[in-house]
Amino acid sequence: MELCGLTLKNPLVLASGVMGTSATLLRRVALGGAGAVTAKSCGPVARAGHPNPVMVDWGHGLLNAIGLTNPGAEEEVDLLAATREELAQMGVPLFASIFAGTEEEFAQVAGVIAGAKPALIEVNISCPNVRDDFGTPFAAIPETAAAVTQAVKRAVGEIPIAVKLAPNVPDIGRIAAAVVAAGADAITAVNTMPGMVIDPEAAQPVLSNKTGGISGPALKPIALRCVAEIAKTVDVPIIGTGGVLTGRDAIEMVMAGAIAVGVGSAFWYRGENAFELIAEEMKAFMMDNGYATLSEIKGKALR
Amino acid sequence: MIREGFRNFRLASARWLNDSTLWLTFDSDIEAEPGQFVMAWLPGVGEKPFSIAGMAPFSLMVVDVGPFSHALHQLQPGDKVWIKGPLGHGFQVEGDNLLLVGGGYGSAPLLALAHDARTKSAKVTACLGARTAEGLLLGKDFADLGCQVEFMTEDGSAGRQGLITLAVEEILATGEVDLLAACGPTGMLSALAGLARQYHVPSQLSWEAQMRCGMGLCGSCEVPQSLDPALPPGWLACFDGPVFNKDKD
Ligand SMILES: Cc1cc2nc3c(=O)[nH]c(=O)nc-3n(C[C@H](O)[C@H](O)[C@H](O)COP(=O)(O)OP(=O)(O)OC[C@H]3O[C@@H](n4cnc5c(N)ncnc54)[C@H](O)[C@@H]3O)c2cc1C
Ligand SMILES: Cc1cc2nc3c(=O)[nH]c(=O)nc-3n(C[C@H](O)[C@H](O)[C@H](O)COP(=O)(O)O)c2cc1C
Ligand code: FES
């Protein structure tokens, strides 16, 4: 299949932040059957992340606040450069992912990371680490989302960019329209949904950060709704992400309007063969139901 | 495997093994394989990985090395600890003649393995090493299970003097060992991985790494191949291990 001019052997993309912290882990996921892999988001400077506990399975999904642990763009660019060639030889494009606290920082990080020539740069504008005093992510306001998109696009030249949106906004279609108008080549939808898990015996939130991002099964209906609204509003490729554990989940994402499908938490639920299993199940579903290509299915649930 | 949230265990009793090490026994059982670990959480203090030292009842062996282990040492009978797990993959009893090698608190999961092996009537030799006699842990517990116990200390204050690899090599050279199982510092494990290769003995080595999520997602516990060339690239201690099971070569 094709995404922003890149050829992927299947539509499954490793979601940013899951396993993709080193060259060896990215390679492992590529060998495990991913169509493309996204590296962990990197920012302007190294961050240690939050103290433990950083993750919990609460029964219907996961909640994490790893805290954007990363070595900083200067170090990340070497990691990406060293990995890209090798993955390309395996036919698996490497996507970078970036975050920052201001528009200018976004442009600066994007400029550094572009040096590694990743196949695509994902712009994580749904992080909590932001400029204004209210802690609103860039993804919450169409104007700021567009401004970041434009700044990044200017900094990276020819490299396609996908803007990663947050699910917790009143009108995701408007945000999508704004980033596409500002030059986004694709949209990744969605990042995790803010949430909290409380341990009643401890009488306090489980995560040291108190709140975290919900991923896994609980996120899927939210992600499907977001993807559908974006697909109705704009005409760029969507990487539908959130709660995809099975081939059927992936098909649902495509039916909602995605063309590629992000996969993260599935490693916890399905084990290390998650990508192979999902790809096989997708194929089996298509065979059973008489579909030959993904484009036949794309957006089918919206028509 | 219990995977959701945390379960509470209450401390039943605590026993000193040496100046800095406590054996903590809790009020109920846990179902696990020897070598699996838990994430232990004390609200307000933090969360860290610990090997399951005993299953019936659930027990931990804790060395006081920093803020979290120190807080575990302060628990009083009746106090709660929050447990996520069992997590990861443990040891399997394979063959009739097992050589267990423990360094420091590495002897904790091996005691659970020795228990399983003895239940299956396997012959077990436990090699325990430390810098000084004070650091040797659980020798009597292994002996009580009917294991043959060999001590090595670097200063010669108990057992024989020297590194543990000396005793291990002698035992491997007899050609009678069906399985080498070990847990301890990574330097020791790297040396043992080399010996297992040299003597063509299957090995199960339990590796350690900085753990954060404990669930195979964050990537922080990757064990570098430089420690053991047999480890697959991108091997995660929490997800693929902590025990790496290697057939002989
Ligand atoms: C699979 C596994 C099993 C373990 N089993 C035991 C056990 O049975 N008994 C025992 O006493 N200890 C065990 N440990 C080590 C134990 O997790 C650390 O000693 C403990 O986290 C120290 O925390 P602290 O706050 O007391 O000390 P800190 O001051 O935080 O750290 C002291 C030292 O402990 C180690 N350490 C700290 N944090 C971690 C972490 N998140 N993951 C791994 N190591 C860390 C480091 O070597 C560090 O230098 C195990 C570790 C792993 C990975
Ligand atoms: C442990 C963990 C770390 C994550 N780190 C990042 C990150 O660094 N950048 C980012 O854009 N998304 C991050 N995410 C969000 C995922 O990329 C994805 O959007 C989300 O988990 C939903 O997909 P899933 O349900 O398949 O996991 C992280 C998710 C998890 C579970
Ligand atoms: S601790 Fe997160 S992957 Fe092992």
Side-chain angles (χ1 to χ4, degrees):
Chain A
M1 55 138 326
E2 215 222 56
L3 177 74
C4 298
L6 305 163
T7 307
L8 275 56
K9 64 183 175 194
N10 69 43
L12 305 178
V13 178
L14 173 69
S16 176
V18 177
M19 292 231 191
T21 47
S22 74
T24 41
L25 279 169
L26 287 162
R27 209 178 296 138
R28 174 178 173 173
V29 180
L31 284 169
V37 292
T38 314
K40 170 91 185 161
S41 295
C42 79
V45 291
R47 280 172 61 100
H50 299 307
N52 270 22
V54 292
M55 184 114 174
V56 63
D57 176 345
W58 47 280
H60 307 279
L62 306 180
L63 186 78
N64 92 81
I66 306 279
L68 289 166
T69 312
N70 83 100
E74 298 289 346
E75 211 175 299
E76 183 81 7
V77 69
D78 295 334
L79 166 105
L80 294 171
T83 319
R84 183 203 52 179
E85 262 317 297
E86 201 180 336
L87 292 181
Q89 276 164 23
M90 295 162 51
V92 179
L94 171 63
F95 299 172
S97 170
I98 60 167
F99 72 91
T102 65
E103 224 172 277
E104 299 74 32
E105 262 178 22
F106 260 109
Q108 175 216 328
V109 174
V112 173
I113 291 303
K117 300 197 180 64
L120 178 147
I121 295 180
E122 192 169 89
V123 190
N124 176 5
I125 60 168
S126 19
C127 65
N129 199 23
V130 291
R131 160 157 65 183
D132 73 49
D133 296 335
F134 305 102
T136 320
F138 289 98
I141 304 160
E143 291 73 25
T144 52
V148 169
T149 306
Q150 205 166 36
V152 170
K153 190 71 200 162
R154 217 176 281 142
V156 304
E158 296 296 291
I159 301 172
I161 69 168
V163 177
K164 186 166 182 181
L165 301 185
N168 51 319
V169 298
D171 186 350
I172 202 165
R174 265 184 71 206
I175 315 275
V179 300
V180 169
D185 301 283
I187 286 177
T188 304
V190 286
N191 213 315
T192 54
M193 178 82 188
M196 181 187 277
V197 169
I198 288 174
D199 183 290
E201 270 80 29
Q204 59 175 259
V206 167
L207 302 188
S208 73
N209 189 51
K210 297 190 169 58
T211 63
I214 295 169
S215 66
L219 186 59
K220 193 182 72 172
I222 298 169
L224 285 171
R225 197 261 311 171
C226 291
V227 168
E229 292 200 2
I230 297 164
K232 277 189 284 185
T233 318
V234 296
D235 194 21
V236 295
I238 302 169
I239 306 174
T241 307
V244 173
L245 309 185
T246 67
R248 294 175 69 90
D249 295 333
I251 296 284
E252 289 170 30
M253 276 297 173
V254 178
M255 288 186 169
I259 187 62
V261 178
V263 176
S265 303
F267 280 110
W268 169 245
Y269 291 95
R270 306 286 311 270
E272 78 157 323
N273 299 326
F275 275 88
E276 267 169 27
L277 294 172
I278 297 170
E280 277 163 23
E281 291 160 357
M282 276 183 96
K283 266 194 216 136
F285 177 91
M286 290 176 63
M287 291 265 280
D288 286 353
N289 290 277
Y291 297 116
T293 64
L294 277 182
S295 39
E296 283 170 53
I297 307 176
K298 185 173 166 253
K300 199 171 168 70
L302 309 182
R303 292 200 279 269
Chain B
M1 195 183 336
I2 301 229
R3 301 164 67 118
E4 292 164 17
F6 288 87
R7 268 186 297 166
N8 277 148
F9 287 86
R10 283 177 191 273
L11 185 68
S13 61
R15 163 168 79 102
W16 287 101
L17 299 179
N18 67 26
D19 278 359
S20 57
T21 311
L22 268 180
W23 181 277
L24 301 173
T25 306
F26 294 91
D27 62 347
S28 45
D29 297 355
I30 193 166
E31 218 174 288
E33 294 170 2
Q36 283 190 299
F37 69 100
V38 296
M39 295 298 273
W41 176 41
L42 292 173
V45 184
E47 181 203 42
K48 297 273 170 156
F50 289 88
S51 297
I52 297 170
M55 287 112 191
F58 174 55
S59 317
L60 297 177
M61 187 173 91
V62 178
V63 192
D64 184 355
V65 293
F68 187 81
S69 49
H70 192 69
L72 282 178
H73 272 219
Q74 306 312 308
L75 292 180
Q76 297 301 311
D79 286 352
K80 285 187 261 188
V81 60
W82 280 252
I83 295 294
K84 178 160 82 187
L87 296 163
H89 300 282
F91 294 108
Q92 309 292 333
V93 177
E94 280 164 17
D96 300 323
N97 193 339
L98 276 63
L99 173 58
L100 313 186
V101 187
Y105 60 74
S107 49
L110 294 177
L111 185 63
L113 175 64
H115 183 272
D116 271 19
R118 293 298 299 148
T119 309
K120 293 178 179 157
S121 307
K123 179 171 179 252
V124 178
T125 307
C127 262
L128 304 176
R131 261 194 295 280
T132 69
E134 175 69 3
L136 291 171
L137 294 167
L138 303 178
K140 184 175 177 311
D141 303 74
F142 281 101
D144 287 348
L145 286 174
C147 308
Q148 190 186 328
V149 186
E150 306 277 341
F151 295 116
M152 295 290 296
T153 50
E154 289 176 33
D155 69 351
S157 54
R160 289 162 62 195
Q161 184 177 5
L163 291 175
I164 193 134
T165 39
L166 190 71
V168 171
E169 182 151 19
E170 283 173 14
I171 298 168
L172 289 177
T174 63
E176 285 166 13
V177 175
D178 296 323
L179 175 70
L180 169 68
C183 183
T186 51
M188 179 189 100
L189 295 181
S190 294
L192 293 177
L195 286 175
R197 248 192 327 276
Q198 188 184 333
Y199 288 92
H200 308 291
V201 174
S203 65
Q204 296 181 14
L205 307 180
S206 177
W207 295 92
E208 235 188 56
Q210 284 297 320
M211 289 199 187
R212 304 202 60 216
C213 74
M215 295 166 65
L217 297 174
C218 75
S220 82
C221 67
E222 186 178 347
V223 180
Q225 253 185 329
S226 57
L227 294 177
D228 177 359
L231 282 167
W235 195 83
L236 297 170
C238 76
F239 185 66
D240 302 297
V243 176
F244 177 59
N245 200 332
K246 176 84 172 71
D247 217 356
K248 65 170 179 284
D249 54 8

